[in-house]
Amino acid sequence: MLCTQIHIGKKPYPLYMGKDLIVKLDSLLSSYIQNRFVFMLTDENVFNHYGKTIIDVLKNNGAKFDHFIIPSGEESKSIDNYRKIIDKLIDEKYNRNSVLIAVGGGVIGDLGGFVASTYMRGIDMIHIPTTLLAQVDSSIGGKTGINYERFKNLLGTFYHPKAVVVDTNTLNTLPNREFIAAFGEVIKYGMLGDYDLLVDLDKNYVKYLNRAIDLDKIILKCIKMKEQIVIKDEMDFGLRQTLNLGHTFAHGIESSTGFNKFFHGEAVALGLLLAANLSFFLRLITVDYYKFIKKIIYKYYSNLFEYKFNGEEILKSMAMDKKNKDNYITFVLPTDKEQVKVFNNIPTEIIRKTIVEVNYGFSCK
Ligand SMILES: NC(=O)c1ccc[n+]([C@@H]2O[C@H](COP(=O)([O-])OP(=O)(O)OC[C@H]3O[C@@H](n4cnc5c(N)ncnc54)[C@H](O)[C@@H]3O)[C@@H](O)[C@H]2O)c1
C-alpha cells in the first residue's frame, strides 16, 4: 500500500492507495472514526458491490453507523438529494463531531462533500473514490457541488477531506463505459503538463481500453499534478482555472443534454476536442499537435461520434457558465504541448464555427 500526504488546505491529509483497502478500512480509518457518529453516503450501484463489506468492516468502529443510498447518476447531484441527506442527518441526530464517508464516484464525492461542508457549518469527511475518474481527479482538490436546474455545479464549496482511500480493486466492477469515460480527465492532464502521458495513452490505448495495464502510475501522476496546481491556487483565482481545460464545452454539452446523455469524462473528452479545434482555428497550436490530440480522442471515444450536438443549446448553456467575464465565455485553450492559457475574448461566431466543424468531423467518422 502506498501512503502519501496531500498538501492542500490548512492541514495535509493522507491518501492511501492499494488493492483491497476496502476490507482494511477499520484499521486505516480508526483514528478518524473511533467514538464518533459515522455516516456513509453511497449510490445504488456502489452499494450493491461494496455496501455490505464496508458496513461489516465499519459498523462496530464508530459510536454509531448509518448509511444512505441515492440513485446512481449525475441527476442525483441535486438539491432534492441534498435535502434528503440533511433530513436524515437531522433525524438521526448527527452532531458536529460526526464523520461523513463518501463511497462512490465523483457524483457521491461532490454531493457528499457539499453536505459535509454545510451541515452544522462543516463535519469531517473521508473520500473513498470507486470510479477511475474520482480516483484520478475529483476526490482531490476540495471542490464540492451540486447542479441546480440546468446549471452544472452552481452550488458548491471548497472543502477538503480528512483522508482519501483509493482501492484500485474497486475498478474491477466498474462497467467499461464508465471506466473509459475517465480517460477524458487523464488526457486533460497530459495536455496540461505531461506530453509523455499523451504519448503513452496513444501508444498503449488497446492495453488501457482492455485494462491490461497497471493504472497505479497514471492515477498517482494525475493526483500529483492536480495537487501541485491546487497548492498554488486553492481558491481558483488563477492557475487552478487551467484544470478547466475542455470543461467549458463539457459543461455546455452536459447541461444542454439534461445531464443524462454523457458521462462527465466523456463530455470532457469531447470538450478537449472542441478546445483543441478552437485553438487550431485561432492558430494557437500547430496542425500536428491538433491532429495528435484528435487521434487520441478518436481512439478512446469512437462510440461518441454518432452524436450530433445542438450547437445553439451548448452556446446558451456556456453563456451561463459561472467563470464567464464581461459577456465573453471563458475558455482554457492549449497553446502548445504542456501549455494552456485562459481566454476571455473569443467572438461567439468563432465558437459556433468550432462546434459546427467538430459536429461535421464526427459525422464523417
Ligand atoms: N470535485 C471535483 O474536483 C470534480 C472533478 C471532476 C469531476 N467531478 C464531478 O464528478 C462527477 C462524475 O464522476 P464519475 O464519472 O465518477 O461518475 P459517477 O459518480 O456518476 O459514477 C459513474 C457510474 O459508476 C458507478 N460506479 C461507481 N463506482 C463503481 C464501481 N466501483 N463499480 C461499479 N459501478 C460503479 C456509479 O454508480 C455510476 O453509475 C461529475 O458530477 C463531475 O462534475 C468533480
Side-chain angles (χ1 to χ4, degrees):
M1 181 185 73
L2 173 124
C3 176
T4 179
Q5 294 292 312
I6 302 294
H7 295 268
I8 305 177
K10 287 192 193 102
K11 216 172 144 204
Y13 55 88
L15 176 132
Y16 305 99
M17 188 166 112
K19 300 197 187 314
D20 292 327
L21 299 190
I22 290 275
V23 293
K24 300 175 193 149
L25 284 176
D26 47 349
S27 56
L28 281 178
L29 300 182
S30 66
S31 60
Y32 306 99
I33 61 179
Q34 250 172 22
N35 303 322
R36 297 176 73 181
F37 288 7
V38 181
F39 184 84
M40 174 174 83
L41 177 69
T42 190
D43 73 24
E44 280 165 354
N45 292 335
V46 179
F47 186 80
N48 287 340
H49 288 292
Y50 305 105
K52 189 177 173 320
T53 309
I54 299 182
I55 290 172
D56 284 350
V57 171
L58 290 186
K59 71 175 179 226
N60 296 323
N61 282 266
K64 168 188 172 90
F65 183 92
D66 271 308
H67 67 274
F68 194 80
I69 307 168
I70 61 164
S72 304
E74 181 71 27
E75 284 160 304
S76 280
K77 237 171 85 169
S78 65
I79 200 137
D80 268 5
N81 279 327
Y82 173 74
R83 186 194 290 271
K84 283 180 191 154
I85 299 161
I86 296 288
D87 284 345
K88 171 91 176 167
L89 290 169
I90 295 169
D91 288 348
E92 300 293 336
K93 302 193 169 35
Y94 275 81
N95 57 25
R96 285 199 71 184
N97 191 32
S98 308
V99 188
L100 187 149
I101 304 185
V103 188
V107 165
I108 288 296
D110 281 11
L111 174 65
F114 189 56
V115 169
S117 66
T118 49
Y119 184 66
M120 297 192 172
R121 296 213 177 88
I123 59 173
D124 285 356
M125 84 160 305
I126 289 164
H127 275 303
I128 305 187
T130 60
T131 62
L132 182 57
L133 185 134
Q135 296 185 356
V136 296
D137 192 334
S138 65
S139 60
I140 301 293
K143 276 193 183 176
T144 82
I146 56 174
N147 306 323
Y148 186 78
E149 306 289 340
R150 62 182 288 176
F151 305 117
K152 173 94 181 165
N153 296 334
L154 189 79
L155 307 177
T157 55
F158 291 95
Y159 198 68
H160 298 288
K162 292 290 172 220
V164 179
V165 181
V166 175
D167 180 341
T168 49
N169 264 0
T170 57
L171 300 180
N172 295 341
T173 54
L174 193 62
N176 246 354
R177 194 176 151 203
E178 284 84 333
F179 175 77
I180 296 168
F183 284 89
E185 297 285 4
V186 181
I187 296 168
K188 177 189 84 176
Y189 283 107
M191 290 173 71
L192 281 178
D194 193 337
Y195 188 72
D196 290 346
L197 177 58
L198 290 181
V199 173
D200 176 34
L201 291 171
D202 179 42
K203 196 171 125 211
N204 294 312
Y205 80 100
V206 177
K207 285 188 191 154
Y208 279 120
L209 291 180
N210 291 316
R211 311 184 191 209
I213 198 163
D214 199 26
L215 292 166
D216 292 27
K217 235 162 89 178
I218 61 166
I219 294 173
L220 203 60
K221 249 184 189 199
C222 294
I223 287 173
K224 285 291 162 189
M225 210 185 294
K226 184 163 188 182
E227 180 192 17
Q228 286 314 309
I229 291 171
V230 177
I231 281 175
K232 294 184 188 127
D233 176 28
E234 194 187 329
M235 303 310 277
D236 209 4
F237 290 121
L239 184 67
R240 186 169 185 167
Q241 286 177 22
T242 61
L243 289 170
N244 278 320
L245 176 63
H247 280 63
T248 308
F249 282 119
H251 290 169
I253 291 169
E254 285 181 283
S255 54
S256 65
T257 52
F259 296 114
N260 59 15
K261 178 91 198 155
F262 299 105
F263 286 121
H264 177 70
E266 293 175 335
V268 170
L270 296 173
L272 292 172
L273 182 59
L274 284 154
N277 187 287
L278 184 53
S279 278
F280 176 55
F281 194 80
L282 296 168
R283 298 292 175 259
L284 299 171
I285 56 171
T286 63
V287 66
D288 287 348
Y289 187 48
Y290 171 55
K291 281 187 174 165
F292 182 53
I293 298 298
K294 191 167 155 185
K295 181 173 70 154
I296 298 173
I297 293 170
Y298 274 29
K299 279 181 173 173
Y300 285 79
Y301 298 101
S302 55
N303 62 318
L304 302 183
F305 299 144
E306 297 305 311
Y307 187 78
K308 291 288 159 296
F309 299 121
N310 181 333
E312 291 312 308
E313 283 299 313
I314 294 177
L315 275 170
K316 224 195 282 173
S317 294
M318 292 196 302
M320 293 304 299
D321 195 294
K322 57 187 177 297
K323 297 201 168 58
N324 292 346
K325 259 191 199 154
D326 307 331
N327 282 333
Y328 281 106
I329 300 171
T330 300
F331 287 99
V332 181
L333 298 179
T335 52
D336 203 346
K337 293 171 191 168
E338 304 184 353
Q339 302 292 326
V340 299
K341 224 176 121 184
V342 179
F343 290 84
N344 278 109
N345 57 357
I346 300 173
T348 309
E349 259 328 291
I350 295 181
I351 303 164
R352 184 174 279 123
K353 234 174 146 170
T354 294
I355 298 173
V356 170
E357 195 169 308
V358 171
N359 251 343
Y360 175 70
F362 281 6
S363 61
C364 285
K365 188 73 196 163

